[in-house]
Amino acid sequence: MVSAGATARARARAELTREIKAEARRQLGRSGASELSLRAVARELGMVSSAVYRYFASRDELLTALIIDAYDAVGATAESAAGDEGDGVEARWLRTAGAIRSWAVEHPHDYALVYGSPVPGYEAPGDTVSAAMRVGVVALGIVADGVAAGEIWPGGGPPLPPALQPDLARLRDEVAPRVTDEVLARALYAWAQLFGMISLELFGHFHNVIDDYGAFFDHQMRRSAQVLVAGP
């Protein structure tokens, strides 16, 4: 039986872990991931730095925790938005894409941490892989359901370079059985459109080009859905 004291300590540790990560996210917003510092986090929380190191042994360990949280958050957002296979490919894709964009707009620093430039000197460990895959698994699930329902045309498009075939075969074996190379290529095109559009918006590359980001995003996602379903 777990003692009351042990339970209280666990709750206190969990709460302080949340506070450390919350302050780290504030630092990301102020100065970016490359400037994240455990000492600065400790200072802002009124702690000695040695106390923070009992929770996160290094800056990289804290970064990893923030990255996993961000991937899990956008993954959960996509999972919730995707809905049931009976809704159809285009409706599910548009709903999921819109939800991902909304999350990114609401959490721009988390988005930049996982989909922006790599943090100098940081190499993500294997711990991040399963969280990173969540949102992609949702997208490929929509595609696989569309193929099974006959909504997605399996052919068309220019011939795929032989060099790509092993990559697509590996992707199919891991998460998209019975999806052809051509459909996987179109799914990756739609995927690149989705995150490319979000990144161009959040990183300011549409400034003085597009005024209504939301309308343009919705239009482009409809175009990418058409390519996904019917091919070029």
Side-chain angles (χ1 to χ4, degrees), residues 85 143-152 178:
E85 60 190 81
V143 172
D145 289 342
V147 169
E151 286 188 75
I152 293 179
R178 296 180 297 280

Side-chain angles (χ1 to χ4, degrees), residues 70-161:
Y71 275 133
D72 277 335
V74 68
T77 296
E79 289 161 1
S80 178
D84 185 81
E85 60 190 81
D87 293 341
V89 171
E90 183 172 348
R92 296 177 72 197
W93 170 252
L94 294 177
R95 192 167 59 232
T96 302
I100 292 170
R101 175 182 176 265
S102 294
W103 175 84
V105 170
E106 292 169 9
H107 305 88
H109 305 302
D110 288 324
Y111 179 89
L113 180 62
V114 293
Y115 295 113
S117 299
V119 180
Y122 172 79
E123 185 173 346
D127 296 356
T128 62
V129 172
S130 60
M133 288 179 62
R134 284 179 66 176
V135 68
V137 168
V138 171
L140 287 173
I142 293 172
V143 172
D145 289 342
V147 169
E151 286 188 75
I152 293 179
W153 185 41
L160 290 168

